[in-house]
Amino acid sequence: MEINAEKALLLINQGELLFIVQNSKKTYFAKKKEKIYVQSNTYSYLLDTDTFLSLYKNVSFYIEDTSDVSIDSEIDKAYYSLQKWKY
């Protein structure tokens, strides 16, 4: 299910791990204190709410399914590096 930026912001604030796909690569979004932590394989940064909505207003987000038992080492590495920022 595709999620717009405003709904994505609500889900991120509730502790969900979201992602977008650009150029066949995932970029992850999670809550870190009062900011939104953004991480891909090549960069990571923090955004405030207004900047997040401005930058990603036309992007479709997806919820990362963390219930899957199979482990992809690249996804696993990205997921666990994001988990420390969720809380």
Side-chain angles (χ1 to χ4, degrees):
M1 170 176 76
E2 293 182 12
I3 301 166
N4 67 24
E6 289 180 7
K7 177 70 174 172
L9 182 59
L10 291 172
L11 292 169
I12 291 167
N13 284 329
Q14 294 172 359
E16 292 287 346
L17 177 61
L18 301 184
F19 70 92
I20 62 172
V21 178
Q22 295 177 316
N23 300 323
S24 301
K25 297 187 191 265
K26 285 186 178 180
T27 300
Y28 294 91
F29 299 80
K31 184 75 171 185
K32 180 185 176 193
K33 298 183 183 176
E34 298 303 313
K35 301 282 186 176
I36 299 163
Y37 181 69
V38 182
Q39 181 182 17
S40 76
N41 286 339
T42 55
Y43 57 82
S44 65
Y45 51 87
L46 291 169
L47 296 175
D48 61 44
T49 300
D50 292 335
T51 304
F52 171 82
L53 290 172
S54 175
L55 289 174
Y56 295 100
K57 64 184 171 197
N58 297 319
V59 177
S60 294
F61 290 81
Y62 304 90
I63 297 174
E64 179 70 15
D65 181 9
T66 57
S67 64
D68 186 9
V69 294
S70 65
I71 297 175
D72 178 319
S73 62
E74 188 168 314
I75 291 173
D76 189 49
K77 179 177 147 186
Y79 174 79
Y80 284 108
S81 67
L82 281 172
Q83 289 306 304
K84 67 183 176 183
W85 300 107
K86 268 183 90 168
Y87 306 103

